[in-house]
Amino acid sequence: MPPTPWVCRTCLLRIGKPALRQFFRFQSTSSTPESIPPALLSRARKIADEHKELTQKLANGFDTRAAKILGEYSPIVNALKEWDKANEVSRIRDPAVALSVPYLNTRAEGHIKSLTELTSLIHDHTTDPELLALASDDLGLTRTLLANASQRLTTSVVPVHPFAHLPCLIEIRPGAGGSEAAIFAGDLLRMYQAFCNRNNFRSTLLKYENADGTSEAGVPLSEAVLEIDSENAYGVFRCEAGVHRVQRVPATESKGRTHTSAASVLVLPSLQESALGEEDFENPESDYYVDPKEVRVEIMRARGAGGQHVNTTDSAVRLTHIPTNTVVSIQDSRSQPKNKEKAWRLLRSRLAQARREKREEEAVAMRRSVVGVAKMGRGDKVRTYNWNQQRVTDHRSGTTVHDLDDVMEGGETLDRVMESVRSWLMERDVEALIAEEEADEKKK
Amino acid sequence: MPRLSNGLLRHAYTINPLLAPLLRSCRDLTSAQNELRWLREHVKLTQTSLNKSHGSLLRRFVCERASGKPLQYILGTEYFGDLEIQCRPGVLIPRQDTAASVTHLVHLLRRAEGLPSELRVLDLCTGTGCIPLLFRHQFEKARREDVRLRLLGVDVSEKAVRLAHHNLKCVFQEHGYRDSKAVIEFMMGDVLIDPCGDQTFDPPSFKAVMDFLRKPQFWNILISNPPYISPSAYWKTTTRSVRGFEPKLALVPPAREEKPGTEQGDTFYPRLLEIAYDVEAEIVLFEVADLDQALRVARMARDIKIFDGIEIWRDQPDQNDEDDPSPHCEFKVTGQGNGRSVLCWRGRGSKWLGKGGAKHITSDRSPIRNAFFATYKF
Ligand SMILES: C[S@@+](CC[C@H](N)C(=O)[O-])C[C@H]1O[C@@H](n2cnc3c(N)ncnc32)[C@H](O)[C@@H]1O
């Protein structure tokens, strides 16, 4: 063990306590491209310490295992060094520091404060013009330096989700709350479509079912699958999975009472052949493998005689994965082969996700016995959209924003909420890593 | 036809008033909902050239559909496999079942070894031209450099041949087939007229046209989805929309008074088999109405003794065989659904289809064969 006390582990052990939660929340909400979650930073420091120890060990004689670990650690150590340097620069170049304004900051939070300070200097009318020019000059440079360093440090420490690079499918279904829930499900769909448009993600409706075939607002949605055909889409939208709750007065409510309803969002990796190697589909070990023999294909056959006797327009296709009883049915297109192809895509995605979740659950069960990290399953309420108060609160990151309209229009406010959740997720990932390592150490 | 329940109609009406009339033709709510969606999309696409409002155009389409007019004639197209085929009143709408058989046949051939450098496919009674077009489309996916396709579609109806040419253009525009060397042609010709008989008919017999236009004499594959519905089945089994809006010429073969005993629905098959014999087809695929007709056609094919193998395909030949094969069957029946087509092969055709063990039967006319054709003489 490294001689320095490992701050974050103690944090983790007390994670359930309210005061600490607050701290984590604050960190997450203030998340900017330059900032780094504390858990991640301490993990990086721990690794750097170990790296130092190992280097010393190696100096005294060769050890293959140590050499190998050293090789794995060095990108992290380098990234940390770079980050520390950038952090240092931001403080030294901080005009406030230059002018010897005394203030306290810890190393971990330093960069955030100095940036904040820079910003407030710029916005402060009393700041003298010379200092103002200096400050705004520095702000840009400091930001890029730090942002790059943080990015590198983060990616070197946080395990990348195995699906993160893939395009994704977003499934939206009404939950509790009757037709109001179905209307809200439609609102969510339009929110994501607008978000995609604004951010240049290519999105298409893979499946869209509502009562009468329109896609206008206010029509209840029974199920929709939106395909986002851009690289890394899974990594971007993963944070959206869960139950989204709405509190508002439904259009149909005559007495003006506020109702609470919900819609559920599932995010699946999209497994197009272009995004994956052929071998992934044919290798039975892979998450993406589906044995065609285990899938029952049902095509809506014309009732009765078929052939020339009827000219039906039925083109629905239903696939059933027999071992897991996963059923997918698609009837959007008039073309049966197109429906079939879409159905296969959706089935593959669902199965891959289910397999992945199962493995994650096993890992979580193990972790929970160590630290009690809360599990975020698909049944958990993740976000509330409150119309009366015009606010949106994410229950994981604790972020609340007040521009509800902008969120529903897929605007930048939604970006902010999603970003807060992503960094929350990242912290959970790091914690999980740490917990796993602890468990390993205990076993030894 | 069973009456729609009032409850269902009322339910449909509350979801959207337009769904209730659509139910008259669609019979179930899900199909009505799908059709309403497709009609709406169609209105959106065609709106620009029309000065009518969205709503009234949609209502007009819904009215037409409720009267039984096929959706495909209203929208102007139908999907046949991956292909969007143009449809016009007067020409039969392509069926999914046909696409399934053709797709399966091409699937069997795609990796076949020993295919000729020019693979010739003849489609008799081609209608919209959908079969040759889908054959090429599916075959091109295999990207075989060693085989060039030559496809010919023949139909008695001028409307059909015109539409087939139009489809050839549309499909090409949509898909391009950049490196394809395939040749597709369509021509008018009557499959039923006896080539040796009186030639004053208009259009002339298929054989006469082939000779006149110097088309190849031999064809590797013969496909046909001929009219096969008997007059009684026409009234009993076809739906209102088929009877009321699709051409009877495409569905019911002409009566043959001199042979009252044989099924009128079977009229085309002996003649098609004779053509298969003349062009020395190595693979033959005929669509049929049901398992009974499939058996009759398979027996006819067996009786001329030129084929090495014969089997019957159901609607979805690519699916696992139905659990309960019909017990009385002397032919192999594959896939799921109604009996839908008869596949025959011989010589090299056996190898192409991966049927193996080709028996070699002499190719000159045996007395039995002559007797067979004599029975079905026109
Ligand atoms: C059942 S439709 C099949 C059309 C197309 N092959 C398909 O699968 O959709 C039968 C076609 O045969 C044509 N036909 C009818 N009598 C014919 C004849 N004596 N010779 C050639 N074609 C004929 C009709 O015009 C019609 O287009």
Side-chain angles (χ1 to χ4, degrees):
Chain A
M1 275 312 286
T4 30
W6 180 19
V7 188
C8 204
R9 196 207 302 169
T10 21
C11 300
L12 283 171
L13 293 169
R14 287 181 299 158
I15 195 152
K17 300 199 176 152
L20 209 68
R21 277 230 98 120
Q22 214 45 54
F23 170 72
F24 266 87
R25 275 185 196 171
F26 172 74
Q27 289 300 318
S28 315
T29 36
S30 70
S31 149
T32 54
E34 306 89 32
S35 79
I36 295 232
L40 192 148
L41 194 58
S42 15
R43 184 176 149 75
R45 294 222 183 285
K46 180 194 165 211
I47 288 173
D49 290 337
E50 264 179 44
H51 186 266
K52 218 197 239 154
E53 254 180 63
L54 283 171
T55 321
Q56 274 164 7
K57 233 196 221 166
L58 265 185
N60 303 332
F62 194 75
D63 175 346
T64 15
R65 205 182 80 88
K68 189 168 164 269
I69 298 177
L70 220 57
E72 281 166 13
Y73 282 176
S74 63
I76 300 176
V77 173
N78 289 340
L80 181 64
K81 260 190 212 143
E82 212 180 298
W83 186 82
D84 276 336
K85 210 162 89 196
N87 209 14
E88 206 58 33
V89 166
S90 78
R91 278 199 297 155
I92 291 168
R93 295 182 70 95
D94 185 335
V97 176
L99 294 175
S100 322
V101 180
Y103 63 81
L104 292 166
N105 62 32
T106 65
R107 239 174 14 137
E109 290 164 357
H111 67 289
I112 298 170
K113 280 202 181 150
S114 61
L115 281 178
T116 325
E117 209 80 15
L118 273 176
T119 321
S120 66
L121 268 173
I122 289 167
H123 290 298
D124 185 353
H125 297 295
T126 60
T127 306
D128 108 12
E130 209 179 310
L131 183 57
L132 187 69
L134 202 61
S136 43
D137 248 18
D138 277 16
L139 188 67
L141 184 66
T142 311
R143 283 219 142 140
T144 12
L145 266 177
L146 252 181
N148 290 346
S150 305
Q151 182 69 40
R152 229 157 302 153
L153 184 58
T154 307
T155 46
S156 69
V157 178
V158 176
V160 181
H161 192 282
F163 294 155
H165 64 289
L166 293 172
C168 74
L169 305 179
I170 300 184
E171 286 190 42
I172 304 172
R173 267 188 220 92
S179 75
E180 163 66 2
I183 291 171
F184 179 61
D187 293 341
L188 284 183
L189 173 65
R190 274 182 301 281
M191 173 178 95
Y192 290 128
Q193 283 176 313
F195 179 89
C196 287
N197 276 344
R198 195 172 52 77
N199 289 298
N200 293 323
F201 284 114
R202 287 182 304 273
S203 74
T204 42
L205 272 175
L206 190 74
K207 171 169 181 155
Y208 181 84
E209 278 180 15
N210 73 4
D212 73 345
T214 46
S215 51
E216 282 117 49
V219 176
L221 173 77
S222 46
E223 186 182 352
V225 180
L226 187 69
E227 171 157 46
I228 301 170
D229 181 22
S230 300
E231 263 179 49
N232 303 324
Y234 186 86
V236 172
F237 287 95
R238 175 163 79 106
C239 58
E240 294 304 289
V243 173
H244 295 237
R245 189 171 68 164
V246 60
Q247 294 175 320
R248 66 180 170 193
V249 183
T252 50
E253 162 68 52
S254 51
K255 300 200 186 73
R257 277 180 306 210
T258 299
H259 289 216
T260 298
S261 350
S264 79
V265 174
L266 274 178
V267 181
L268 312 173
S270 168
L271 308 169
Q272 288 162 328
E273 314 211 9
S274 53
L276 299 160
E278 181 102 338
E279 65 273 18
D280 285 322
F281 283 127
E282 274 154 32
N283 174 10
E285 297 292 299
S286 145
D287 268 345
Y288 314 125
Y289 179 78
V290 179
D291 185 350
K293 282 200 285 299
E294 295 182 339
V295 177
R296 185 169 60 233
V297 182
E298 286 164 287
I299 281 165
M300 284 308 156
R301 240 189 275 134
R303 282 148 299 217
Q308 292 169 12
H309 306 92
V310 295
N311 56 18
T312 152
T313 55
D314 278 340
S315 55
V317 174
R318 185 164 65 194
L319 303 183
T320 309
H321 184 246
I322 300 159
T324 57
N325 199 26
T326 309
V327 181
V328 172
S329 82
I330 299 273
Q331 53 187 337
D332 286 44
S333 169
R334 289 166 56 214
S335 152
Q336 206 168 70
K338 225 172 261 171
N339 285 336
K340 198 169 174 181
E341 182 198 309
K342 285 178 175 183
W344 266 103
R345 227 185 305 164
L346 192 52
L347 182 71
R348 277 220 165 84
S349 296
R350 283 200 189 152
L351 292 177
Q353 177 84 351
R355 285 172 193 160
R356 177 79 212 151
E357 267 173 15
K358 188 162 161 262
R359 238 178 303 133
E360 266 165 13
E361 244 162 59
E362 284 161 10
V364 165
M366 187 194 80
R367 247 176 260 152
R368 213 190 274 127
S369 58
V370 186
V371 278
V373 177
K375 185 195 147 230
M376 290 303 308
R378 59 170 73 179
D380 293 298
K381 178 183 75 191
V382 296
R383 199 176 289 159
T384 296
Y385 303 72
N386 185 308
W387 252 251
N388 293 348
Q389 299 167 14
Q390 286 290 298
R391 77 171 159 84
V392 175
T393 300
D394 194 283
H395 305 295
R396 296 159 297 181
S397 65
T399 305
T400 292
V401 294
H402 288 281
D403 199 347
L404 176 96
D405 289 343
D406 192 50
V407 171
M408 296 314 292
E409 282 157 21
E412 277 170 32
T413 320
L414 179 59
D415 283 10
R416 251 171 51 218
V417 177
M418 285 171 64
E419 230 164 65
S420 79
V421 185
R422 276 195 298 272
S423 82
W424 179 87
L425 271 173
M426 198 167 73
E427 284 175 50
R428 296 293 87 75
D429 285 346
V430 177
E431 283 171 17
L433 246 181
I434 295 166
E436 262 158 48
E437 279 178 358
E438 283 207 346
D440 284 350
E441 266 172 41
K442 268 199 193 132
K443 267 189 229 150
K444 276 177 212 161
Chain B
M1 196 160 25
R3 271 182 60 93
L4 294 163
S5 82
N6 280 337
L8 179 61
L9 283 170
R10 234 178 297 120
H11 177 55
Y13 190 88
T14 51
I15 298 174
N16 188 314
L18 293 176
L19 287 173
L22 282 179
L23 267 178
R24 276 168 51 85
S25 288
C26 298
R27 312 304 297 173
D28 71 69
L29 191 58
T30 327
S31 314
Q33 285 169 324
N34 282 335
E35 291 204 359
L36 183 57
R37 188 177 68 245
W38 295 326
L39 281 172
R40 228 187 230 123
E41 286 163 6
H42 182 62
V43 168
K44 252 188 221 154
L45 285 178
T46 47
Q47 125 230 305
T48 39
S49 55
L50 290 148
N51 43 11
K52 281 190 176 171
S53 78
H54 260 192
S56 72
L57 188 57
L58 182 64
R59 271 193 300 280
R60 201 190 84 203
F61 286 157
V62 168
C63 261
E64 286 181 359
R65 181 68 184 118
S67 77
K69 183 168 177 179
L71 186 78
Q72 296 92 333
Y73 286 153
I74 300 173
L75 302 180
T77 65
E78 169 67 315
Y79 281 88
F80 191 67
D82 285 334
L83 298 180
E84 191 172 6
I85 297 286
Q86 308 291 313
C87 295
R88 289 180 196 152
V91 184
L92 191 99
I93 298 160
R95 308 292 202 248
Q96 314 261 16
D97 302 329
T98 314
S101 314
V102 173
T103 304
H104 189 58
L105 175 66
V106 179
H107 182 79
L108 295 177
L109 291 172
R110 260 154 58 168
R111 302 238 157 82
E113 280 172 35
L115 288 178
S117 59
E118 181 173 274
L119 183 67
R120 295 183 190 154
V121 183
L122 188 57
D123 176 38
L124 300 180
C125 304
T126 197
T128 54
C130 55
I131 293 175
L133 291 170
L134 184 63
F135 193 106
R136 172 198 38 200
H137 184 77
Q138 295 294 76
F139 195 84
E140 292 299 341
K141 288 184 185 168
R143 306 200 159 276
R144 292 192 56 149
E145 310 237 311
D146 57 330
V147 180
R148 185 172 86 120
L149 287 180
R150 172 182 286 277
L151 302 121
L152 175 62
V154 180
D155 202 286
V156 75
S157 141
E158 190 188 335
K159 254 190 190 160
V161 175
R162 250 179 228 280
L163 183 58
H165 275 125
H166 179 58
N167 270 315
L168 178 61
K169 228 186 303 160
C170 291
V171 168
F172 187 81
Q173 270 167 8
E174 166 110 26
H175 297 274
Y177 306 108
R178 254 182 303 120
D179 310 313
S180 168
K181 286 171 288 179
V183 178
I184 302 189
E185 292 172 302
F186 294 104
M187 60 177 218
M188 260 169 75
D190 191 325
V191 168
L192 281 182
I193 298 177
D194 180 0
C196 309
D198 202 348
Q199 290 294 312
T200 56
F201 294 89
D202 179 36
S205 87
F206 152 74
K207 189 78 176 49
V209 187
M210 293 287 275
D211 291 347
F212 181 73
L213 295 176
R214 304 186 181 207
K215 295 292 167 203
Q217 198 185 345
F218 302 115
W219 293 80
N220 307 105
I221 300 175
L222 172 65
I223 305 179
S224 182
N225 175 17
Y228 55 58
I229 301 178
S230 70
S232 64
Y234 182 70
W235 293 109
K236 279 190 298 212
T237 337
T238 63
T239 58
R240 181 173 66 116
S241 167
V242 172
R243 270 196 312 280
F245 293 86
E246 295 196 83
K248 200 171 173 184
L249 171 73
L251 299 161
V252 184
R256 291 160 57 228
E257 280 152 39
E258 71 279 21
K259 288 273 169 211
T262 47
E263 296 261 355
Q264 188 178 328
D266 297 353
T267 303
F268 275 81
Y269 299 104
R271 179 69 195 120
L272 289 169
L273 283 169
E274 199 172 2
I275 293 172
Y277 177 81
D278 286 340
V279 302
E280 298 191 359
E282 289 140 302
I283 294 174
V284 170
L285 181 69
F286 294 153
E287 183 167 319
V288 293
D290 51 28
L291 199 55
D292 288 338
Q293 190 171 45
L295 285 170
R296 291 196 300 273
V297 172
R299 287 185 194 128
M300 283 180 214
R302 185 187 57 200
D303 290 347
I304 60 172
K305 298 216 156 92
I306 57 171
F307 294 113
D308 296 330
I310 297 166
E311 68 186 29
I312 293 169
W313 287 357
R314 295 182 185 272
D315 286 327
Q316 294 160 254
D318 56 334
Q319 289 295 297
N320 293 337
D321 294 353
E322 208 137 272
D323 303 330
D324 168 39
S326 66
H328 57 281
C329 204
E330 69 248 51
F331 300 97
K332 189 177 170 211
V333 182
T334 64
Q336 293 204 354
N338 295 306
R340 186 53 63 220
S341 33
V342 175
L343 177 79
C344 317
W345 62 87
R346 64 166 167 166
R348 292 186 296 175
S350 323
K351 200 171 117 202
W352 300 338
L353 293 170
K355 297 295 179 186
K359 284 173 272 162
H360 287 287
I361 296 177
T362 48
S363 62
D364 47 33
R365 278 186 192 230
S366 69
I368 302 169
R369 218 143 41 227
N370 284 334
F372 169 81
F373 286 129
T375 335
Y376 288 97
K377 209 75 202 152
F378 297 87

